[in-house]
């Protein structure tokens, strides 16, 4: 990673992350992504360019990534141990992708980069290799991928903090009260998938290490928006997904310290993870497992998915995070100012209006069920957003404070009849978002709140859909 990117990679605190990019930084142009020319029909007639504002779920693939994959596809071959030219070429490409990802994450020389299926798979892998007796500390604000994998460990769930300083203090108190001996792990997000707010990762890492614990960073929402440096953040592991980093296909990454990974049994048993297998006289088998990243990459790997991640890492690095962050700041300000001008809209936040954040904003609208509002944005304006609890149920329920939403004309409540329905709307965007998409979204919110939906909707199999 270059010196300039290292400068912007200093996430020493949530405040310093945002301040790393000067206000006068030159904004980048939107990066070219697939689907930018797709048009969709409107229920009111005609067609409109599709506005993909659901980046936090899956970002559209960069055109550069798709072109790289298409150029490689004719040379596709099985990796490792193949004697053929295409197999050798694919093996070199696969292992070079590992180097590219390590550079993108500013890994330490001793760190391992393991390719997985997703952030969820990465964190489940780490959970599977925890030493016996490991204590895990995780905030209730985490995405389910970070909240749920630790079933066999002793887990302490921490209450949602209301400031970055409170997050650090809460963790320090919990770690100080833990048993003084034995392994411990802290799991924390870099940027919330609900509020977009940046977390004080470096301070949390310092607190963890001061109390003899390790820390893993869920960077699924952070890595597409800001540079992530294992060295600068001083985290032990980082996990992220390709499909949120503008790469197609199902691949993810777990990168960081090798010792727990090398000492544990393979995450999956099979070819590729095994170095030597021999029958014993008693009829069983003896297995010698790899001690490299291959130990946890059993089976034939997703070569194209891995290459697409590496391509996305190169594309973002070459585009320059400074300009990308500066432009995203402008989009965030435009959305937040637009929503602030609608009294019926309440934006959800843990750390307050001034907290630095990425392009992820969740909100509720008085008088509307969130499913109804999202359906109207799609059917009448061609805008894709997300509604629900965003695989972060405890956090959204905390932010909504148990307040019921009005059902409006149509709703998809999770609650049973007579119980409260809690859900929200999430708009998210990034390096490929045109200004027009954000402008259309703000205009659509104002019109829907002021004038109501132009079409009739009904609930069908738990979703709000336009009446045909």
């Amino acid at each position: 990673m270059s010196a300039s990117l290292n400068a912007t990679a200093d996430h020493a605190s949530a405040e310093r992350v945002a301040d790393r990019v000067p206000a006068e930084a030159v904004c980048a142009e939107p990066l070219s992504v697939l689907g930018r020319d797709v048009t969709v029909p409107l229920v009111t007639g005609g067609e409109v360019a599709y506005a993909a504002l659901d980046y936090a779920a899956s970002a559209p693939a960069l055109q550069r990534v798709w072109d790289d994959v298409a150029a490689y596809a004719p040379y596709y071959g099985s990796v490792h141990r193949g004697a053929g030219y295409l197999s050798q070429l694919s093996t070199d490409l696969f292992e070079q992708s590992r180097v590219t990802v390590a550079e993108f994450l500013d890994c330490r020389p001793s760190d391992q980069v393991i390719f997985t299926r997703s952030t969820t798979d990465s964190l489940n892998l780490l959970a599977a290799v925890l030493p016996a007796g490991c204590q895990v500390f995780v905030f209730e604000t985490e995405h389910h991928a970070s909240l749920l994998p630790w079933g066999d460990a002793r887990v302490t769930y921490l209450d949602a903090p209301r400031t970055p300083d409170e997050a650090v203090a809460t963790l320090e108190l919990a770690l100080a009260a833990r048993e003084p001996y034995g392994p411990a792990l802290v799991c924390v997000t870099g940027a919330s998938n609900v509020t977009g707010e940046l977390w004080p990762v470096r301070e949390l890492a310092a607190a963890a290490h001061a109390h003899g614990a390790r820390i893993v960073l869920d960077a699924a929402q952070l890595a597409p928006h800001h540079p992530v440096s294992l060295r600068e953040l001083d985290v032990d592991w980082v996990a992220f997904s390709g499909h949120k980093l503008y790469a197609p296909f199902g691949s993810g990454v777990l990168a960081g310290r090798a010792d727990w990974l090398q000492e544990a049994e393979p995450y999956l048993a099979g070819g590729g993870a095994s170095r030597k297998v021999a029958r014993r006289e008693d009829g069983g088998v003896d297995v010698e497992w790899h001690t490299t990243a291959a130990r946890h990459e059993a089976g034939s790997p997703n070569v194209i998915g891995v290459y697409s991640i590496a391509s996305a890492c190169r594309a973002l690095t070459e585009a320059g995070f400074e300009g990308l962050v500066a432009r995203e700041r402008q989009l965030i300000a435009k959305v937040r100012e637009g929503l602030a001008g609608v009294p019926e809209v309440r934006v959800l936040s843990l750390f307050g209006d001034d907290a630095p954040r990425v392009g992820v904003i969740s909100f509720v609208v008085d008088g509307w069920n969130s499913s109804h509002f999202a359906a109207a944005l799609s059917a009448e304006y061609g805008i894709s957003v997300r509604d629900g609890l965003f695989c972060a149920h405890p956090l959204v329920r905390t932010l909504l404070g148990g307040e019921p939403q009005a059902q409006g004309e149509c709703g998809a409540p999770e609650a049973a009849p007579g119980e409260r329905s809690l859900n929200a709307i999430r708009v998210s965007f990034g390096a490929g978002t045109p200004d027009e998409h954000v402008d259309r979204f703000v205009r659509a919110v104002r019109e829907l709140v002021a004038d109501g939906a132009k079409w009739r909707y009904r609930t069908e199999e738990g979703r709000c859909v336009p009446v045909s």
Side-chain angles (χ1 to χ4, degrees):
M1 184 176 285
S2 69
S4 61
L5 285 180
N6 269 332
T8 58
D10 183 3
H11 291 69
S13 71
E15 290 78 11
R16 288 201 292 275
V17 175
D19 291 343
R20 276 295 172 185
V21 178
E24 66 274 11
V26 177
C27 297
E29 292 294 319
L31 299 186
S32 180
V33 295
L34 296 183
R36 62 193 180 280
D37 299 324
V38 169
T39 60
V40 293
L42 302 180
V43 292
T44 51
E47 292 188 341
V48 67
Y50 184 66
L53 296 179
D54 194 14
Y55 276 46
S58 284
L62 288 171
Q63 184 67 54
R64 152 78 178 275
V65 172
W66 191 259
D67 292 344
D68 283 351
V69 168
Y72 161 66
Y75 301 93
Y76 171 81
S78 180
V79 304
H80 300 142
R81 298 172 302 282
Y85 178 80
L86 297 190
S87 180
Q88 292 291 309
L89 185 149
S90 295
T91 298
D92 289 344
L93 179 143
F94 184 84
E95 293 303 331
Q96 183 56 48
S97 295
R98 203 186 305 275
V99 174
T100 299
V101 171
E103 292 172 348
F104 180 75
L105 295 173
D106 194 23
C107 287
R108 299 156 296 233
S110 60
D111 287 335
Q112 282 189 347
V113 173
I114 297 175
F115 290 116
T116 65
R117 293 177 295 177
S118 59
T119 306
T120 300
D121 194 35
S122 295
L123 293 172
N124 275 270
L125 163 56
L126 187 59
V129 305
L130 294 180
C134 187
Q135 294 178 266
V136 177
F137 297 83
V138 57
F139 286 93
E140 68 171 349
T141 48
E142 293 291 311
H143 186 280
H144 293 171
S146 304
L147 194 70
L148 301 180
W150 321 105
D152 293 334
R154 292 177 293 164
V155 185
T156 298
Y157 294 104
L158 307 176
D159 292 341
R162 288 299 181 167
T163 67
D165 288 344
E166 185 181 333
V168 177
T170 298
L171 179 61
E172 287 180 332
L173 285 173
L175 290 172
R178 83 178 183 96
E179 296 178 7
Y181 303 105
L185 177 70
V186 176
C187 182
V188 67
T189 188
S192 170
N193 78 302
V194 176
T195 68
E197 292 164 319
L198 298 170
W199 277 61
V201 176
R202 186 172 176 82
E203 282 86 351
L204 292 168
H209 294 153
H211 291 276
R214 299 186 183 188
I215 185 168
V216 57
L217 170 64
D218 175 353
Q221 300 297 338
L222 182 62
H225 303 272
H226 284 273
V228 175
S229 166
L230 272 81
R231 298 180 203 243
E232 294 287 340
L233 296 174
D234 197 25
V235 294
D236 298 281
W237 293 278
V238 66
F240 71 89
S241 295
H243 73 101
K244 298 185 192 298
L245 196 78
Y246 310 102
F249 313 108
S251 285
V253 169
L254 177 68
R257 295 180 61 157
D259 54 350
W260 284 5
L261 295 161
Q262 292 175 347
E263 293 162 5
E265 290 295 302
Y267 181 45
L268 297 173
S274 54
R275 184 174 179 274
K276 185 186 299 183
V277 180
R279 287 293 302 273
R280 298 196 304 264
E281 291 184 2
D282 64 4
V285 294
D286 287 322
V287 184
E288 179 182 334
W289 303 106
H290 280 294
T291 57
T292 63
R295 185 183 189 89
H296 298 290
E297 294 178 343
S300 297
N302 182 355
V303 184
I304 291 181
V306 165
Y307 181 49
S308 71
I309 287 182
S311 174
C313 290
R314 287 192 298 270
L316 291 173
T317 300
E318 292 168 9
F321 271 106
E322 186 172 282
L324 296 176
V325 171
R327 182 171 183 276
E328 187 172 307
R329 269 185 178 168
Q330 292 186 349
L331 296 180
I332 293 170
K334 184 178 294 188
V335 171
R336 288 180 59 82
E337 289 168 7
L339 295 179
V342 183
E344 294 83 356
V345 170
R346 178 164 71 90
V347 173
L348 306 184
S349 174
L350 271 177
F351 299 155
D353 289 343
D354 295 331
R357 65 194 72 231
V358 299
V360 179
I361 299 169
S362 296
F363 62 98
V364 292
V365 184
D366 289 346
W368 287 79
N369 179 276
S370 295
S371 179
H372 185 194
F373 201 85
L377 286 172
S378 174
E380 300 178 28
Y381 295 91
I383 298 170
S384 167
V385 297
R386 178 94 14 175
D387 67 277
L389 299 175
F390 319 126
C391 290
H393 295 186
L395 171 57
V396 177
R397 290 187 174 116
T398 294
L399 293 172
L400 291 177
E403 299 174 5
Q405 289 193 64
Q407 292 304 305
E409 182 181 350
C410 172
E414 285 201 350
E419 295 182 356
R420 298 179 179 186
S421 169
L422 295 176
N423 50 47
I425 306 152
R426 184 182 70 191
V427 56
S428 53
F429 41 88
T433 303
D435 286 57
E436 188 276 330
H437 290 184
V438 167
D439 293 336
R440 193 195 320 169
F441 166 77
V442 171
R443 184 181 74 254
V445 171
R446 289 173 178 162
E447 290 180 1
L448 285 172
V449 171
D451 305 327
K454 300 181 181 70
W455 206 258
R456 291 191 304 112
Y457 296 81
R458 61 187 175 88
T459 301
E460 182 178 291
E461 297 181 353
R463 296 296 308 166
C464 190
V465 297
V467 174
S468 57

